[in-house]
Amino acid sequence: MSSNTKTELITLRDFLRYAVSRFSATNIYFGHGTTNAFDEAVYLICHTLGLNSEHLEIFLDAKLLLQERELVLDILQKRVQNRIPAAYLTHEAWLFDYKFYVDERTIIPRSFIAELLINSSLEVWFVDNSKIQNVLDLCTGSGCLAIIAADIFANAAVDAIDISKNALAVAEKNIKNYALQNQINLLCGDGFEVLKNQQKKYDLIICNPPYVDAEAMKNLPAEYRHEPSLALASGVDGLDFVKKLLQNAKNYLSEDGILVVEIGHQKEKLLQEFPELNFVWLETQAGNDYVFLLEAKDL
């Protein structure tokens, strides 16, 4: 970035073009909210300037103040040079219409389970959401799925567990932002360990666990290396956490309860490991290879 950049670029249109060119030339990785250079540039620039991206056309030829140019160039430089994901630069992430605070203490919210909850894809198993009394979100991270579940199942008490105290601090902030402190209970522990002395059974257990295998961890794009490895890595085959989950989940499900788990690209390994289980693979916008459902009676 030349020293003359902030004087040569004048309008929002100039900065948008410049950002797209820089993003494309440096091959930054998209996958934390946007999928291409243009959308990423629009998001970062509009967020920095406090503009609504839906009204972008109105402002394209507006001239930026010198201070605004410096702020925009600074955030673009951090994105390109340090490969920091956009969500960590803006401290916000979105799942559909739900907005969450995020920083590097926790993984950036992204989950097909959010889509399934919001689109009522579990209604086949839960005809009446009002009858759902207890929900558990394992590996809650930022608390995003616990918050969505609490919103969808308004009468349910939601427990949210994570092994990371740092992640739970972020979850607590998000829960307060949604005023759900009375509905969501945060617990720190490894999987079901923290529940061993409790008698509670859950109508629904959701989990977006670590599932990246050792080989994939070695080849992660730089952007993913800003996220806590604890939230990504799960042993040689990527199934360490899920294996323990499947061995113990039945003990914490109600008689008609269901378990919903995101598994990434590990479907074939999972089927080989547990050929006896009657997995139901749920349809998402990316296909039906990423999230499975098991009923308590099948565990």
Short mmCIF file of all heavy atoms in Angstrom, two decimals, residues 18-70:
data_model
loop_
_atom_site.label_atom_id
_atom_site.label_comp_id
_atom_site.label_asym_id
_atom_site.label_seq_id
_atom_site.Cartn_x
_atom_site.Cartn_y
_atom_site.Cartn_z
N TYR A 18 -10.72 -0.49 -4.98
CA TYR A 18 -9.38 -0.78 -4.46
C TYR A 18 -9.40 -2.03 -3.57
O TYR A 18 -8.54 -2.91 -3.70
CB TYR A 18 -8.88 0.42 -3.67
CG TYR A 18 -7.59 0.18 -2.93
CD1 TYR A 18 -6.37 0.19 -3.60
CD2 TYR A 18 -7.59 -0.06 -1.55
CE1 TYR A 18 -5.18 -0.03 -2.92
CE2 TYR A 18 -6.40 -0.28 -0.87
CZ TYR A 18 -5.20 -0.27 -1.55
OH TYR A 18 -4.03 -0.49 -0.87
N ALA A 19 -10.39 -2.13 -2.69
CA ALA A 19 -10.47 -3.27 -1.77
C ALA A 19 -10.66 -4.58 -2.53
O ALA A 19 -10.00 -5.58 -2.23
CB ALA A 19 -11.62 -3.06 -0.79
N VAL A 20 -11.55 -4.57 -3.51
CA VAL A 20 -11.79 -5.80 -4.29
C VAL A 20 -10.51 -6.21 -5.01
O VAL A 20 -10.16 -7.40 -5.04
CB VAL A 20 -12.94 -5.57 -5.31
CG1 VAL A 20 -13.05 -6.77 -6.25
CG2 VAL A 20 -14.25 -5.37 -4.57
N SER A 21 -9.81 -5.26 -5.56
CA SER A 21 -8.56 -5.57 -6.25
C SER A 21 -7.52 -6.15 -5.31
O SER A 21 -6.84 -7.14 -5.63
CB SER A 21 -7.99 -4.31 -6.92
OG SER A 21 -8.86 -3.84 -7.93
N ARG A 22 -7.39 -5.53 -4.13
CA ARG A 22 -6.41 -6.02 -3.14
C ARG A 22 -6.78 -7.41 -2.64
O ARG A 22 -5.91 -8.29 -2.51
CB ARG A 22 -6.35 -5.04 -1.97
CG ARG A 22 -5.65 -3.74 -2.29
CD ARG A 22 -4.15 -3.89 -2.28
NE ARG A 22 -3.64 -4.06 -0.92
CZ ARG A 22 -2.47 -4.62 -0.60
NH1 ARG A 22 -1.71 -5.09 -1.55
NH2 ARG A 22 -2.08 -4.71 0.65
N PHE A 23 -8.04 -7.63 -2.35
CA PHE A 23 -8.48 -8.94 -1.86
C PHE A 23 -8.22 -10.02 -2.90
O PHE A 23 -7.77 -11.12 -2.58
CB PHE A 23 -9.97 -8.91 -1.50
CG PHE A 23 -10.30 -8.11 -0.26
CD1 PHE A 23 -11.62 -7.86 0.08
CD2 PHE A 23 -9.30 -7.58 0.54
CE1 PHE A 23 -11.93 -7.13 1.22
CE2 PHE A 23 -9.60 -6.84 1.68
CZ PHE A 23 -10.93 -6.60 2.01
N SER A 24 -8.52 -9.70 -4.15
CA SER A 24 -8.34 -10.67 -5.23
C SER A 24 -6.86 -10.96 -5.48
O SER A 24 -6.47 -12.11 -5.68
CB SER A 24 -9.00 -10.16 -6.52
OG SER A 24 -10.39 -9.97 -6.32
N ALA A 25 -6.05 -9.92 -5.43
CA ALA A 25 -4.63 -10.08 -5.72
C ALA A 25 -3.89 -10.86 -4.65
O ALA A 25 -2.90 -11.55 -4.93
CB ALA A 25 -3.98 -8.70 -5.90
N THR A 26 -4.35 -10.76 -3.42
CA THR A 26 -3.65 -11.41 -2.31
C THR A 26 -4.26 -12.75 -1.93
O THR A 26 -3.80 -13.40 -0.98
CB THR A 26 -3.64 -10.49 -1.07
OG1 THR A 26 -4.97 -10.05 -0.79
CG2 THR A 26 -2.76 -9.27 -1.32
N ASN A 27 -5.32 -13.16 -2.63
CA ASN A 27 -5.93 -14.48 -2.41
C ASN A 27 -6.31 -14.72 -0.95
O ASN A 27 -6.03 -15.80 -0.40
CB ASN A 27 -4.99 -15.59 -2.89
CG ASN A 27 -4.79 -15.56 -4.39
OD1 ASN A 27 -5.74 -15.41 -5.15
ND2 ASN A 27 -3.54 -15.70 -4.82
N ILE A 28 -6.91 -13.73 -0.32
CA ILE A 28 -7.39 -13.97 1.04
C ILE A 28 -8.50 -15.02 0.99
O ILE A 28 -9.13 -15.24 -0.04
CB ILE A 28 -7.90 -12.67 1.71
CG1 ILE A 28 -9.12 -12.11 0.99
CG2 ILE A 28 -6.80 -11.65 1.80
CD1 ILE A 28 -9.75 -10.93 1.70
N TYR A 29 -8.72 -15.68 2.13
CA TYR A 29 -9.68 -16.78 2.17
C TYR A 29 -11.01 -16.29 2.73
O TYR A 29 -11.06 -15.61 3.75
CB TYR A 29 -9.14 -17.92 3.04
CG TYR A 29 -10.00 -19.16 2.98
CD1 TYR A 29 -9.82 -20.10 1.97
CD2 TYR A 29 -11.02 -19.37 3.92
CE1 TYR A 29 -10.61 -21.22 1.90
CE2 TYR A 29 -11.82 -20.50 3.84
CZ TYR A 29 -11.62 -21.42 2.83
OH TYR A 29 -12.40 -22.53 2.76
N PHE A 30 -12.08 -16.65 2.05
CA PHE A 30 -13.43 -16.29 2.50
C PHE A 30 -14.08 -17.53 3.10
O PHE A 30 -13.92 -18.63 2.62
CB PHE A 30 -14.26 -15.76 1.34
CG PHE A 30 -13.59 -14.65 0.58
CD1 PHE A 30 -12.98 -14.88 -0.64
CD2 PHE A 30 -13.54 -13.37 1.11
CE1 PHE A 30 -12.35 -13.86 -1.33
CE2 PHE A 30 -12.91 -12.34 0.44
CZ PHE A 30 -12.31 -12.58 -0.78
N GLY A 31 -14.87 -17.34 4.12
CA GLY A 31 -15.53 -18.48 4.74
C GLY A 31 -16.05 -18.17 6.12
O GLY A 31 -16.49 -19.07 6.84
N HIS A 32 -15.99 -16.91 6.50
CA HIS A 32 -16.47 -16.51 7.83
C HIS A 32 -17.62 -15.51 7.71
O HIS A 32 -17.75 -14.60 8.52
CB HIS A 32 -15.33 -15.91 8.65
CG HIS A 32 -14.29 -16.90 9.04
ND1 HIS A 32 -13.11 -17.06 8.34
CD2 HIS A 32 -14.24 -17.80 10.06
CE1 HIS A 32 -12.37 -18.00 8.91
NE2 HIS A 32 -13.04 -18.46 9.96
N GLY A 33 -18.44 -15.67 6.69
CA GLY A 33 -19.58 -14.78 6.55
C GLY A 33 -19.85 -14.36 5.11
O GLY A 33 -20.98 -14.20 4.70
N THR A 34 -18.78 -14.16 4.33
CA THR A 34 -18.94 -13.83 2.92
C THR A 34 -18.21 -14.88 2.08
O THR A 34 -17.42 -15.66 2.61
CB THR A 34 -18.38 -12.44 2.58
OG1 THR A 34 -16.96 -12.45 2.78
CG2 THR A 34 -19.01 -11.36 3.45
N THR A 35 -18.47 -14.85 0.77
CA THR A 35 -17.88 -15.87 -0.10
C THR A 35 -17.05 -15.29 -1.24
O THR A 35 -16.52 -16.03 -2.05
CB THR A 35 -19.00 -16.74 -0.71
OG1 THR A 35 -19.88 -15.91 -1.47
CG2 THR A 35 -19.78 -17.47 0.36
N ASN A 36 -16.93 -13.95 -1.30
CA ASN A 36 -16.21 -13.35 -2.42
C ASN A 36 -15.66 -11.98 -2.03
O ASN A 36 -16.07 -11.39 -1.02
CB ASN A 36 -17.11 -13.24 -3.64
CG ASN A 36 -18.36 -12.41 -3.38
OD1 ASN A 36 -18.30 -11.17 -3.35
ND2 ASN A 36 -19.49 -13.08 -3.14
N ALA A 37 -14.75 -11.48 -2.85
CA ALA A 37 -14.04 -10.23 -2.56
C ALA A 37 -14.98 -9.03 -2.50
O ALA A 37 -14.83 -8.15 -1.64
CB ALA A 37 -12.95 -9.99 -3.61
N PHE A 38 -15.95 -8.98 -3.40
CA PHE A 38 -16.85 -7.82 -3.43
C PHE A 38 -17.68 -7.74 -2.16
O PHE A 38 -17.76 -6.67 -1.53
CB PHE A 38 -17.76 -7.89 -4.66
CG PHE A 38 -18.73 -6.74 -4.75
CD1 PHE A 38 -18.32 -5.50 -5.22
CD2 PHE A 38 -20.05 -6.89 -4.34
CE1 PHE A 38 -19.20 -4.43 -5.30
CE2 PHE A 38 -20.94 -5.82 -4.41
CZ PHE A 38 -20.51 -4.59 -4.89
N ASP A 39 -18.33 -8.81 -1.78
CA ASP A 39 -19.17 -8.80 -0.58
C ASP A 39 -18.36 -8.49 0.67
O ASP A 39 -18.82 -7.78 1.57
CB ASP A 39 -19.89 -10.14 -0.41
CG ASP A 39 -20.99 -10.34 -1.44
OD1 ASP A 39 -21.40 -9.35 -2.08
OD2 ASP A 39 -21.44 -11.49 -1.62
N GLU A 40 -17.14 -9.03 0.73
CA GLU A 40 -16.28 -8.78 1.89
C GLU A 40 -15.90 -7.30 1.95
O GLU A 40 -15.90 -6.68 3.02
CB GLU A 40 -15.02 -9.64 1.80
CG GLU A 40 -14.13 -9.54 3.02
CD GLU A 40 -14.28 -10.72 3.97
OE1 GLU A 40 -15.31 -11.40 3.94
OE2 GLU A 40 -13.35 -10.96 4.74
N ALA A 41 -15.58 -6.72 0.80
CA ALA A 41 -15.20 -5.31 0.74
C ALA A 41 -16.37 -4.41 1.14
O ALA A 41 -16.20 -3.46 1.91
CB ALA A 41 -14.72 -4.96 -0.67
N VAL A 42 -17.56 -4.71 0.62
CA VAL A 42 -18.74 -3.93 0.96
C VAL A 42 -18.99 -3.98 2.46
O VAL A 42 -19.24 -2.96 3.11
CB VAL A 42 -19.98 -4.44 0.20
CG1 VAL A 42 -21.26 -3.82 0.76
CG2 VAL A 42 -19.86 -4.13 -1.29
N TYR A 43 -18.92 -5.19 3.02
CA TYR A 43 -19.18 -5.35 4.45
C TYR A 43 -18.20 -4.54 5.29
O TYR A 43 -18.60 -3.78 6.19
CB TYR A 43 -19.12 -6.82 4.84
CG TYR A 43 -19.13 -7.04 6.34
CD1 TYR A 43 -20.24 -6.68 7.11
CD2 TYR A 43 -18.01 -7.55 7.00
CE1 TYR A 43 -20.25 -6.85 8.48
CE2 TYR A 43 -18.01 -7.73 8.37
CZ TYR A 43 -19.13 -7.38 9.11
OH TYR A 43 -19.12 -7.53 10.47
N LEU A 44 -16.91 -4.69 5.05
CA LEU A 44 -15.91 -4.02 5.87
C LEU A 44 -15.95 -2.51 5.73
O LEU A 44 -15.85 -1.78 6.72
CB LEU A 44 -14.51 -4.54 5.51
CG LEU A 44 -14.15 -5.92 6.04
CD1 LEU A 44 -12.81 -6.38 5.49
CD2 LEU A 44 -14.13 -5.94 7.57
N ILE A 45 -16.11 -2.03 4.52
CA ILE A 45 -16.13 -0.59 4.29
C ILE A 45 -17.39 0.04 4.90
O ILE A 45 -17.32 1.06 5.60
CB ILE A 45 -16.03 -0.27 2.79
CG1 ILE A 45 -14.63 -0.65 2.28
CG2 ILE A 45 -16.28 1.23 2.54
CD1 ILE A 45 -14.47 -0.54 0.77
N CYS A 46 -18.54 -0.57 4.65
CA CYS A 46 -19.78 -0.01 5.19
C CYS A 46 -19.80 -0.06 6.72
O CYS A 46 -20.25 0.88 7.38
CB CYS A 46 -20.99 -0.76 4.62
SG CYS A 46 -21.35 -0.34 2.89
N HIS A 47 -19.30 -1.15 7.28
CA HIS A 47 -19.24 -1.24 8.75
C HIS A 47 -18.35 -0.14 9.31
O HIS A 47 -18.69 0.51 10.30
CB HIS A 47 -18.72 -2.61 9.18
CG HIS A 47 -18.71 -2.79 10.67
ND1 HIS A 47 -17.67 -2.35 11.46
CD2 HIS A 47 -19.61 -3.36 11.51
CE1 HIS A 47 -17.93 -2.65 12.72
NE2 HIS A 47 -19.09 -3.25 12.77
N THR A 48 -17.20 0.07 8.69
CA THR A 48 -16.25 1.07 9.17
C THR A 48 -16.82 2.48 9.10
O THR A 48 -16.58 3.31 9.99
CB THR A 48 -14.95 1.00 8.35
OG1 THR A 48 -14.40 -0.32 8.44
CG2 THR A 48 -13.92 2.01 8.85
N LEU A 49 -17.61 2.75 8.08
CA LEU A 49 -18.17 4.09 7.88
C LEU A 49 -19.56 4.25 8.49
O LEU A 49 -20.15 5.32 8.42
CB LEU A 49 -18.24 4.40 6.38
CG LEU A 49 -16.89 4.45 5.64
CD1 LEU A 49 -17.12 4.66 4.16
CD2 LEU A 49 -16.00 5.54 6.21
N GLY A 50 -20.07 3.17 9.09
CA GLY A 50 -21.39 3.25 9.70
C GLY A 50 -22.51 3.38 8.70
O GLY A 50 -23.53 4.03 8.95
N LEU A 51 -22.35 2.73 7.54
CA LEU A 51 -23.34 2.80 6.48
C LEU A 51 -24.10 1.48 6.34
O LEU A 51 -23.54 0.41 6.58
CB LEU A 51 -22.67 3.12 5.13
CG LEU A 51 -21.92 4.45 5.05
CD1 LEU A 51 -21.24 4.57 3.70
CD2 LEU A 51 -22.86 5.62 5.29
N ASN A 52 -25.35 1.57 5.92
CA ASN A 52 -26.16 0.39 5.63
C ASN A 52 -25.82 -0.08 4.23
O ASN A 52 -26.02 0.65 3.26
CB ASN A 52 -27.64 0.73 5.74
CG ASN A 52 -28.53 -0.49 5.60
OD1 ASN A 52 -28.18 -1.47 4.96
ND2 ASN A 52 -29.71 -0.43 6.21
N SER A 53 -25.32 -1.29 4.11
CA SER A 53 -24.88 -1.80 2.80
C SER A 53 -26.03 -1.91 1.81
O SER A 53 -25.82 -1.90 0.59
CB SER A 53 -24.21 -3.16 2.96
OG SER A 53 -25.09 -4.10 3.54
N GLU A 54 -27.27 -1.99 2.31
CA GLU A 54 -28.42 -2.08 1.42
C GLU A 54 -28.63 -0.77 0.67
O GLU A 54 -29.31 -0.74 -0.36
CB GLU A 54 -29.68 -2.44 2.22
CG GLU A 54 -29.64 -3.85 2.81
CD GLU A 54 -30.91 -4.18 3.56
OE1 GLU A 54 -31.84 -3.33 3.58
OE2 GLU A 54 -31.00 -5.29 4.10
N HIS A 55 -28.06 0.31 1.18
CA HIS A 55 -28.19 1.62 0.53
C HIS A 55 -26.87 2.06 -0.10
O HIS A 55 -26.62 3.26 -0.29
CB HIS A 55 -28.64 2.67 1.56
CG HIS A 55 -29.94 2.33 2.23
ND1 HIS A 55 -30.22 2.68 3.53
CD2 HIS A 55 -31.03 1.67 1.76
CE1 HIS A 55 -31.42 2.24 3.85
NE2 HIS A 55 -31.94 1.63 2.80
N LEU A 56 -26.06 1.10 -0.45
CA LEU A 56 -24.72 1.38 -0.98
C LEU A 56 -24.74 2.32 -2.18
O LEU A 56 -23.93 3.24 -2.27
CB LEU A 56 -24.03 0.06 -1.35
CG LEU A 56 -22.62 0.16 -1.94
CD1 LEU A 56 -21.65 0.71 -0.89
CD2 LEU A 56 -22.15 -1.20 -2.44
N GLU A 57 -25.68 2.11 -3.10
CA GLU A 57 -25.71 2.88 -4.34
C GLU A 57 -25.80 4.39 -4.06
O GLU A 57 -25.23 5.20 -4.80
CB GLU A 57 -26.92 2.45 -5.18
CG GLU A 57 -26.79 1.07 -5.80
CD GLU A 57 -25.77 1.03 -6.93
OE1 GLU A 57 -25.53 2.10 -7.53
OE2 GLU A 57 -25.22 -0.04 -7.21
N ILE A 58 -26.49 4.76 -3.01
CA ILE A 58 -26.68 6.17 -2.70
C ILE A 58 -25.35 6.86 -2.39
O ILE A 58 -25.16 8.04 -2.70
CB ILE A 58 -27.63 6.33 -1.49
CG1 ILE A 58 -28.99 5.71 -1.79
CG2 ILE A 58 -27.78 7.79 -1.09
CD1 ILE A 58 -29.93 5.69 -0.60
N PHE A 59 -24.42 6.08 -1.78
CA PHE A 59 -23.19 6.69 -1.25
C PHE A 59 -21.94 6.44 -2.12
O PHE A 59 -20.86 6.93 -1.78
CB PHE A 59 -22.92 6.15 0.15
CG PHE A 59 -24.03 6.40 1.13
CD1 PHE A 59 -24.86 5.36 1.56
CD2 PHE A 59 -24.26 7.67 1.63
CE1 PHE A 59 -25.88 5.58 2.46
CE2 PHE A 59 -25.28 7.91 2.52
CZ PHE A 59 -26.10 6.87 2.94
N LEU A 60 -22.08 5.72 -3.21
CA LEU A 60 -20.90 5.32 -3.98
C LEU A 60 -20.02 6.49 -4.41
O LEU A 60 -18.80 6.39 -4.44
CB LEU A 60 -21.33 4.51 -5.22
CG LEU A 60 -21.63 3.03 -4.96
CD1 LEU A 60 -22.15 2.37 -6.23
CD2 LEU A 60 -20.40 2.31 -4.43
N ASP A 61 -20.63 7.60 -4.74
CA ASP A 61 -19.84 8.75 -5.21
C ASP A 61 -19.60 9.80 -4.13
O ASP A 61 -19.10 10.90 -4.42
CB ASP A 61 -20.53 9.39 -6.42
CG ASP A 61 -20.55 8.44 -7.61
OD1 ASP A 61 -19.49 7.86 -7.91
OD2 ASP A 61 -21.62 8.27 -8.22
N ALA A 62 -19.91 9.44 -2.89
CA ALA A 62 -19.63 10.35 -1.78
C ALA A 62 -18.13 10.36 -1.49
O ALA A 62 -17.46 9.33 -1.52
CB ALA A 62 -20.40 9.90 -0.54
N LYS A 63 -17.61 11.55 -1.20
CA LYS A 63 -16.19 11.68 -0.89
C LYS A 63 -15.95 11.38 0.59
O LYS A 63 -16.72 11.81 1.45
CB LYS A 63 -15.70 13.10 -1.21
CG LYS A 63 -15.80 13.45 -2.68
CD LYS A 63 -15.34 14.89 -2.93
CE LYS A 63 -15.45 15.25 -4.41
NZ LYS A 63 -15.02 16.66 -4.67
N LEU A 64 -14.87 10.68 0.86
CA LEU A 64 -14.53 10.34 2.24
C LEU A 64 -13.61 11.40 2.84
O LEU A 64 -12.70 11.91 2.18
CB LEU A 64 -13.83 8.98 2.30
CG LEU A 64 -14.74 7.74 2.39
CD1 LEU A 64 -15.64 7.64 1.17
CD2 LEU A 64 -13.91 6.48 2.56
N LEU A 65 -13.87 11.71 4.10
CA LEU A 65 -12.96 12.59 4.84
C LEU A 65 -11.63 11.89 5.04
O LEU A 65 -11.55 10.65 5.01
CB LEU A 65 -13.57 12.95 6.19
CG LEU A 65 -14.92 13.69 6.17
CD1 LEU A 65 -15.47 13.79 7.60
CD2 LEU A 65 -14.76 15.06 5.55
N LEU A 66 -10.60 12.66 5.29
CA LEU A 66 -9.27 12.08 5.48
C LEU A 66 -9.28 11.06 6.61
O LEU A 66 -8.70 9.97 6.48
CB LEU A 66 -8.26 13.19 5.78
CG LEU A 66 -6.82 12.72 6.03
CD1 LEU A 66 -6.27 11.96 4.83
CD2 LEU A 66 -5.92 13.91 6.38
N GLN A 67 -9.93 11.37 7.72
CA GLN A 67 -9.99 10.44 8.84
C GLN A 67 -10.71 9.15 8.45
O GLN A 67 -10.32 8.05 8.84
CB GLN A 67 -10.70 11.09 10.03
CG GLN A 67 -10.74 10.20 11.27
CD GLN A 67 -11.47 10.87 12.42
OE1 GLN A 67 -12.17 11.86 12.25
NE2 GLN A 67 -11.31 10.32 13.62
N GLU A 68 -11.76 9.28 7.64
CA GLU A 68 -12.50 8.10 7.19
C GLU A 68 -11.63 7.25 6.27
O GLU A 68 -11.65 6.01 6.35
CB GLU A 68 -13.77 8.53 6.46
CG GLU A 68 -14.81 9.17 7.36
CD GLU A 68 -16.01 9.67 6.59
OE1 GLU A 68 -15.83 10.19 5.47
OE2 GLU A 68 -17.14 9.55 7.11
N ARG A 69 -10.86 7.89 5.41
CA ARG A 69 -9.96 7.15 4.52
C ARG A 69 -8.95 6.34 5.33
O ARG A 69 -8.65 5.19 5.01
CB ARG A 69 -9.22 8.12 3.59
CG ARG A 69 -10.12 8.89 2.65
CD ARG A 69 -9.29 9.85 1.81
NE ARG A 69 -10.07 11.01 1.40
CZ ARG A 69 -9.57 12.06 0.78
NH1 ARG A 69 -8.27 12.09 0.49
NH2 ARG A 69 -10.33 13.08 0.44
N GLU A 70 -8.43 6.95 6.37
CA GLU A 70 -7.44 6.27 7.21
C GLU A 70 -8.04 5.05 7.91
O GLU A 70 -7.41 3.99 8.00
CB GLU A 70 -6.87 7.25 8.23
CG GLU A 70 -6.00 8.34 7.59
CD GLU A 70 -5.57 9.39 8.60
OE1 GLU A 70 -6.19 9.47 9.68
OE2 GLU A 70 -4.62 10.15 8.30
#
